[in-house]
Amino acid sequence: MSKEWPLWEVFIRSQHGLAHKHVGSLHASDAEMAVNNARDVYTRRNEGVSIWVVRAADIVASSPADKGALFEPSNSKVYRHPTFFPMPEEVKNL
Amino acid sequence: MDDKVNYLLRLGDNALILSQQLSQWCGKGPALEEDMALTNVSLDLLGQTRLWYEYAGELEGAGRDEDKIAFHRDAHEFKNCLLLEQPNGNYADTMTRQFFFDTWHYFLVRGLCGAADQRIADIAEKSLKEVTYHLRRSGDLIVRLGDGSAVSHAKTQAAVDDLWMYSGEVFAYDAVDQAMVDAGIAPPADELRAHWLEHVGEIFAEATLAMPAPDAWMQKGGKQGVHSEHLGYILAEMQFLQRAYPGAEW
């Protein structure tokens, strides 16, 4: 049976979280079942969470071989890193 | 026994016996996710049992706590409905039993949220979130099984036909239930039954299942402590340790 169930990746935004985080995966026959079961497998029913489920087949990942080309050039160019701007206290979560 | 205590024990016993039954699926579910969902529902119900028993014990004032109530009573003192002590059987049997119960439980708990007894209303409020999810899941699975393959449809229809005669006991109000209605605690039977039939009818239509006659003969007795042959075995297993070492602390 589970051979026919596709894999879904689960992303959860916790109660005080600002963004959905990938928490794991599960098998389900469709999106509705994936959301239903994500509650039991990953949230333990915390209040106020938002769940996203995405069919694993729909996710395109960067290839490890591209790591250098994608991420390294910025490391030697500190002016690209926006860490020199003093932020006012009132601005949260930026 | 005081009507309210009796009523609270009925609520607790329903949740406890079904919880015990569901826990038997642990590690045997048809898929990992189903396994976790079933055992989670079992845990939800066990948590609700504890709240009902705790309040029942306090009201009774005889010094019985939740453990005494769960482990030191025999079958004739249990007041759960007969539906819940029916064997797990196959997955369709378990889910049909669950769906019949969840549908009633949801409308009951929703009604109890407005109970004239604050403690009951609070417990119901807490339970409602869990029960809403239980109902959503069991309805979803009945549709999948009923409207699935020819084999799953046949198995689910057979489960429905087998368990139907246990579905009406919850609406057969006796003096205890009626006292709770009069006290502004329990919702009236006809109101619950109308909701129940409507929801079950909708789900069965979607699941392509034939609904048995609502006015069919219904088996009764659980609430009064007259049980089927299954309960004794369930309790023997559940209470073994406390029977062997009464009063042991853990």
Side-chain angles (χ1 to χ4, degrees):
Chain A
M1 166 120 190
S2 52
K3 283 202 293 285
E4 303 159 25
W5 288 11
L7 186 68
W8 299 76
E9 298 298 335
V10 183
F11 299 80
I12 304 237
R13 187 165 60 78
S14 64
Q15 210 170 354
H16 304 292
L18 292 162
H20 286 74
K21 276 204 181 78
H22 179 242
V23 292
S25 54
L26 52 77
H27 289 273
S29 56
D30 62 23
E32 191 183 0
M33 189 187 259
V35 170
N36 273 348
N37 289 347
R39 172 232 197 219
D40 286 316
V41 183
Y42 290 112
T43 73
R44 304 298 302 166
R45 280 152 297 153
N46 270 329
E47 301 286 334
V49 296
S50 156
I51 300 173
W52 288 348
V53 293
V54 186
R55 216 181 262 267
D58 290 337
I59 293 176
V60 181
S62 63
S63 133
D66 292 340
K67 202 173 138 210
L70 285 174
F71 308 110
E72 261 173 44
S74 63
N75 288 350
S76 56
K77 306 184 180 72
V78 290
Y79 51 82
R80 287 188 175 180
H81 299 219
T83 50
F84 308 107
F85 303 98
M87 293 299 299
E89 271 302 300
E90 296 78 18
V91 182
K92 299 276 184 247
N93 306 322
L94 209 70
Chain B
M1 187 184 284
D2 178 58
D3 285 337
K4 197 187 277 187
V5 171
N6 213 328
Y7 188 72
L8 289 166
L9 289 174
R10 289 177 180 187
L11 293 171
D13 289 350
N14 280 336
L16 177 63
I17 297 302
L18 186 55
S19 170
Q20 177 71 10
Q21 298 268 67
L22 289 174
S23 72
Q24 303 267 0
W25 273 102
C26 191
K28 300 191 176 76
L32 176 71
E33 291 76 12
E34 282 303 308
D35 207 277
M36 292 190 71
L38 283 180
T39 43
N40 255 319
V41 172
S42 171
L43 282 171
D44 287 346
L45 292 169
L46 189 63
Q48 293 172 23
T49 303
R50 298 181 62 181
L51 295 169
W52 296 127
Y53 280 178
E54 191 182 29
Y55 187 28
E58 281 174 36
L59 279 184
E60 190 184 46
R64 289 203 295 180
D65 63 1
E66 56 188 69
D67 288 333
K68 270 272 181 298
I69 294 173
F71 298 113
H72 291 260
R73 283 182 305 148
D74 209 344
H76 67 277
E77 295 163 284
F78 267 79
K79 305 161 195 303
N80 58 282
C81 290
L82 299 171
L83 171 71
L84 307 171
E85 66 200 47
Q86 299 311 303
N88 286 343
N90 61 29
Y91 209 58
D93 293 320
T94 286
M95 288 322 303
T96 302
R97 181 184 67 195
Q98 192 67 36
F99 174 61
F100 285 170
F101 172 78
D102 288 344
T103 306
W104 168 74
H105 202 205
Y106 170 77
F107 291 114
L108 173 78
V109 167
R110 206 179 65 173
L112 289 176
C113 286
D117 175 310
Q118 194 52 51
R119 178 87 169 259
I120 290 179
D122 290 346
I123 296 173
E125 193 83 34
K126 190 173 183 298
S127 307
L128 186 62
K129 293 174 192 147
E130 295 170 343
V131 176
T132 304
Y133 167 79
H134 299 170
L135 179 62
R136 192 173 92 183
R137 228 189 70 85
S138 55
D140 181 63
L141 278 154
I142 291 295
V143 172
R144 289 173 193 279
L145 292 167
D147 194 21
S149 68
V151 174
S152 75
H153 175 89
K155 284 183 175 178
T156 313
Q157 186 68 60
V160 166
D161 296 342
D162 281 349
L163 292 168
W164 188 255
M165 68 169 162
Y166 299 108
S167 67
E169 185 185 359
V170 288
F171 308 116
Y173 276 22
D174 62 358
V176 173
D177 295 317
Q178 202 48 53
M180 291 302 103
V181 176
D182 298 340
I185 291 171
D190 52 356
E191 180 190 308
L192 286 180
R193 188 164 180 265
H195 284 312
W196 191 91
L197 286 170
E198 187 189 7
H199 184 73
V200 171
E202 278 170 18
I203 296 288
F204 277 12
E206 205 180 334
T208 70
L209 293 165
M211 188 151 157
D215 53 355
W217 178 83
M218 293 290 171
Q219 183 67 267
K220 293 192 267 295
K223 288 196 272 194
Q224 291 78 26
V226 183
H227 289 279
S228 61
E229 68 276 23
H230 305 295
L231 185 64
Y233 293 99
I234 294 169
L235 296 182
E237 187 170 21
M238 188 179 88
Q239 299 174 334
F240 164 77
L241 203 70
Q242 274 296 299
R243 291 178 190 228
Y245 304 96
E249 292 189 20
W250 69 93

